Amino acid sequence: MLEGLRVVELATYIAAPGAAGIMADWGADVIKVESPEGDPMRRFFDTIASQQDANPVFELDNRGKRAVVLDIRADAGREAMKALVATADVFLTNVRPGALSRAGLDHETLRSLNPRLIYCSLTGYGLEGPDADKAGMDVAAFWSRAGVGSITAPKGAEPFPIRTGMGDHVTSLATVSAILAAVFERQTTGVGRLVETSLLRSGVYAIGSDMAIQLRFGKLASTRGRREAIQPLANFFKTRDDRWICLLPRQGATDWARIAEAAGRPELVDDPRFASARSRRENTAALVDLLDAAFGAMDYVDVAAALDAGDLTWAPYQTPRELVGDPQAEAAGCFVDTPDGSGGTFRAPAGPARFPGAEDGPRGPAPKLGADTTAVFRELGWSEDRIAALTGPTD
């Protein structure tokens, strides 16, 4: 879908490389520019000896790209970067604005070289305000400062961290959509624009329903434990064979009778403690205890059949290990075969969308550091001597 779109990525870690990685899956020519030291994510597993032969975290976000090494601290590196950006449709970076300005790679400078350029800046906190140049990771900017962690933790729990790259990948999705909106706009205007995304703003949007309540009403209910839930039927229950299920009743009263039937306790519908949503909320602990006993007397397969017979919304509460064997995840295209660079493949998470009938998966492995520097600058018409000045002697 994106064949013919050239993206130059000057970025490290996950959020911005993840956005470029999605576009690479969809056919864009993504050129990853790294310092001579390389993206720190290349060394993600360095301290785990048994994992040094693979780096699935780096591979996920960088598969199908081409890799160039440039030292933008030096005049030659900055000149080469500008020459490369002059050929690009998109420049995507998560380098802090101050450092980009010092290197002459700010928005105004690069757009003056390439008026069609879509310049996308992904930062921790945005391009304006007192913290615009502050370092930001997803545990800090997305999870902690944006409030995602505080409303996720049950009331009274101590803070705990987000899982690897979760906030980053939400921001990757926002960044891809913003870039492609600018690509669409450019079809009409003929000129590029500055696009800005941040971990902070993505975090606020990720909890947008709760934030809308906070902004409108000035208060927000906390996340509560199972026996203190505001909606006791929207809950988790364990089966006799130690499988957890997630149950979600639809709005209105139609699902209560179906849930009671599925649990083998249809008489609970007539119990005055549970006759209305309000009374169920007032008697949450008692109702959860009764449903715990009911579902806990049934095996998972029987609970699943009963809930499906009632056309109820539910799902198994799975671990990643269990998800790998989920036939629906396979059918939905959640996993793809990724080239390993040695003629084989390995399984990895797929991108976030499917385009039936089109290639939307990995185009190649994650590149070795600087593997394509010579080839990319040959394409730009650079002489071998000029390239050698960037890369050192080549065979």
Side-chain angles (χ1 to χ4, degrees), residues 214-255:
Q214 179 68 55
L215 291 166
R216 186 71 165 168
F217 298 147
K219 59 182 179 179
L220 185 66
S222 59
T223 300
R224 305 183 184 189
R226 295 175 56 253
R227 298 181 76 254
E228 296 81 37
I230 294 174
Q231 166 51 294
L233 301 178
N235 221 319
F236 301 87
F237 300 97
K238 186 189 285 189
T239 65
R240 181 165 55 192
D241 46 350
D242 289 329
R243 293 285 303 274
W244 283 94
I245 63 163
C246 168
L247 185 61
L248 290 170
R250 290 161 285 214
Q251 296 298 316
T254 58
D255 279 352

Side-chain angles (χ1 to χ4, degrees), residues 224-307:
R224 305 183 184 189
R226 295 175 56 253
R227 298 181 76 254
E228 296 81 37
I230 294 174
Q231 166 51 294
L233 301 178
N235 221 319
F236 301 87
F237 300 97
K238 186 189 285 189
T239 65
R240 181 165 55 192
D241 46 350
D242 289 329
R243 293 285 303 274
W244 283 94
I245 63 163
C246 168
L247 185 61
L248 290 170
R250 290 161 285 214
Q251 296 298 316
T254 58
D255 279 352
W256 167 221
R258 298 179 184 183
I259 291 169
E261 180 70 28
R265 297 294 305 272
E267 74 280 4
L268 292 178
V269 174
D270 297 321
D271 188 315
R273 294 175 297 170
F274 314 128
S276 68
R278 181 173 181 175
S279 62
R280 289 192 293 274
R281 184 166 63 249
E282 292 170 348
N283 294 280
T284 287
L287 180 53
V288 170
D289 288 345
L290 287 167
L291 292 177
D292 274 348
F295 286 123
M298 304 166 64
D299 287 337
Y300 171 81
V301 65
D302 298 319
V303 172
L307 294 173

Side-chain angles (χ1 to χ4, degrees), residues 61-266:
D61 295 317
N62 294 283
R63 63 197 185 197
K65 299 178 183 178
R66 298 196 285 169
V68 164
V69 164
L70 295 175
D71 187 353
I72 62 170
R73 295 164 295 191
D75 290 342
R78 292 191 292 271
E79 178 188 5
M81 172 62 83
K82 290 176 181 179
L84 188 56
V85 170
T87 72
D89 295 289
V90 178
F91 176 67
L92 171 59
T93 186
N94 65 356
V95 178
R96 283 186 269 177
L100 290 167
S101 293
R102 290 190 294 273
L105 301 175
D106 54 282
H107 168 241
E108 291 79 7
T109 300
L110 294 189
R111 281 284 309 286
S112 69
L113 297 173
N114 180 357
R116 289 179 53 81
L117 183 69
I118 293 162
Y119 186 112
C120 183
S121 172
L122 191 162
T123 62
Y125 301 103
L127 293 178
E128 300 178 9
D131 293 333
D133 218 35
K134 188 180 180 72
M137 296 286 193
D138 71 340
V139 180
F142 180 100
W143 181 252
S144 298
R145 191 160 185 176
V148 182
S150 69
I151 68 167
T152 300
K155 187 176 182 179
E158 292 186 347
F160 59 91
I162 196 172
R163 297 297 300 190
T164 304
M166 183 176 168
D168 285 319
H169 283 138
V170 172
T171 307
S172 297
L173 295 174
T175 302
V176 171
S177 64
I179 288 171
L180 296 185
V183 170
F184 182 82
E185 178 192 45
R186 192 181 63 179
Q187 293 179 355
T188 301
T189 65
V191 297
R193 70 154 50 247
L194 176 64
V195 173
E196 173 193 349
T197 59
S198 69
L199 293 164
L200 178 63
R201 185 161 175 165
S202 295
V204 171
Y205 185 77
I207 57 169
S209 297
D210 284 301
M211 282 306 305
I213 295 170
Q214 179 68 55
L215 291 166
R216 186 71 165 168
F217 298 147
K219 59 182 179 179
L220 185 66
S222 59
T223 300
R224 305 183 184 189
R226 295 175 56 253
R227 298 181 76 254
E228 296 81 37
I230 294 174
Q231 166 51 294
L233 301 178
N235 221 319
F236 301 87
F237 300 97
K238 186 189 285 189
T239 65
R240 181 165 55 192
D241 46 350
D242 289 329
R243 293 285 303 274
W244 283 94
I245 63 163
C246 168
L247 185 61
L248 290 170
R250 290 161 285 214
Q251 296 298 316
T254 58
D255 279 352
W256 167 221
R258 298 179 184 183
I259 291 169
E261 180 70 28
R265 297 294 305 272

